[in-house]
């Protein structure tokens, strides 16, 4: 990346508010992917020894609001991917909506300069805050796309990728 | 997103140089996913009626450097997903490396303020430049993750998602 380094660009590309909207747009699509699964397949269907999509959704729930809580408060949160109450599609969707509100709430508490500070998310992952949040988003896109393959192989048309 | 809108945040989260590094990190991972496929399966293996991973890689090649060329020059580029020379894994990887250089070259030509201007990418997709580039990245993560499922179902361990 020689060219880029030779000519460092420092202007604003994305503001915090835009990054939140980008994430919530993705989260709205992921919600529709969860909805597209039949109840049984959400918890049981898998390909190549991978986890069922419900387990991936639980991971995403475990990361999103608790991760943003740590960004906002500075207090280390625990990563707990076993969400006991996430036992039905309806419950997962309710937890998803609750996370949506929590993310917005914590985001509004984050001072602007915080986005460029380092953080040890869940006491384990050392990175700058904006990189950490992009990682949350990228991880969500990654697992959601795996859900797309599950749906396709079940003969179910997934929601369009570009609709947020 | 009431909280966010009530308290708009306008500081820099991500600079252009950081966005380029983020993208090239993802592209380096996607390259390793292409490499992980056996030659035949790269071009033929599919699940649920989806495209083989070679066709997805061709789409990513068709978008990345030509998309950045348009960002840099302002001249509308054509979206041409049928890349005739991409007929072997070796050729795809060579085209991938060539794109890496082209992206860096075009990126260095982009004035900072350009990232917040509107663009009609490939004469079809109307959006702000930074959103357009994030869309390129998100689309790559999305298809690459589908490649992960193909690899897993072929009994091949894909490269770790978090290594860039």
């Amino acid at each position: 990346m020689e060219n880029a380094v030779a000519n460092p660009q420092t202007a604003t590309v994305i503001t915090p508010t835009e990054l939140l909207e980008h994430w919530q747009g993705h989260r709205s699509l992921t919600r529709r992917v969860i909805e597209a699964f039949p109840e049984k397949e959400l918890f049981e269907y898998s390909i190549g020894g991978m986890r069922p999509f419900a387990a991936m959704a639980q991971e995403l729930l475990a990361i999103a609001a608790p991760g943003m809580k740590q960004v906002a408060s500075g207090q280390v949160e625990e990563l707990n991917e076993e969400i006991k109450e996430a036992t039905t599609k309806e419950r997962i969707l309710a937890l998803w909506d609750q996370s949506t509100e929590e993310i917005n709430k914590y985001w509004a508490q984050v001072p602007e300069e915080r986005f460029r500070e380092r953080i040890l998310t869940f006491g384990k992952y050392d990175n700058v805050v904006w990189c950490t949040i992009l990682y949350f988003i990228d991880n969500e896109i990654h697992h959601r796309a795996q859900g797309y393959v599950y749906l396709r192989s079940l003969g179910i048309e997934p929601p369009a990728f570009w609709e947020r």
Side-chain angles (χ1 to χ4, degrees), chain A:
Chain A
M1 299 210 263
E2 231 170 275
N3 285 323
V5 172
N7 172 26
Q9 298 155 312
T10 53
T12 297
V13 177
I14 306 171
T15 68
T17 299
E18 288 165 344
L19 185 59
L20 173 61
E21 281 167 13
H22 179 72
W23 189 11
Q24 294 288 27
H26 272 300
R27 293 188 71 261
S28 148
L29 175 57
T30 306
R31 191 189 195 283
R32 278 175 286 135
V33 173
I34 298 167
E35 269 187 304
F37 272 86
E39 184 80 32
K40 183 178 155 65
E41 281 73 13
L42 180 60
F43 289 89
E44 295 177 12
Y45 189 72
S46 103
I47 293 177
M50 298 175 73
R51 292 172 294 173
F53 195 61
M56 298 184 192
Q58 285 174 23
E59 177 191 308
L60 300 176
L61 285 169
I63 289 172
M68 274 313 298
K69 190 176 177 189
Q70 178 170 345
V71 168
S73 72
Q75 300 285 311
V76 176
E77 290 293 315
E78 221 177 300
L79 184 63
N80 179 9
E81 292 183 36
E82 272 196 57
I83 300 174
K84 281 188 194 130
E85 59 274 51
T87 50
T88 64
K89 180 158 89 170
E90 199 189 339
R91 280 300 299 151
I92 290 179
L93 291 172
L95 289 165
W96 199 265
D97 294 337
Q98 194 184 309
S99 287
T100 303
E101 295 305 310
E102 287 176 20
I103 290 165
N104 287 344
K105 183 184 74 181
Y106 295 130
W107 199 284
Q109 296 167 9
V110 180
E112 296 194 347
E113 64 277 12
R114 178 83 173 132
F115 287 95
R116 302 193 62 82
E117 291 169 7
R118 291 201 84 83
I119 186 175
L120 193 67
T121 316
F122 302 116
K124 281 194 284 196
Y125 308 105
D126 180 33
N127 213 331
V128 175
V129 166
W130 73 261
C131 285
T132 300
I133 294 170
L134 267 193
Y135 189 89
F136 294 170
I137 300 172
D138 293 351
N139 184 57
E140 176 167 341
I141 299 169
H142 178 73
H143 288 310
R144 184 182 62 211
Q146 297 171 337
Y148 272 66
V149 185
Y150 287 11
L151 287 173
R152 287 274 183 207
S153 88
L154 288 164
I156 298 166
E157 172 95 15
F161 176 67
W162 55 86
E163 277 172 25
R164 302 289 154 82

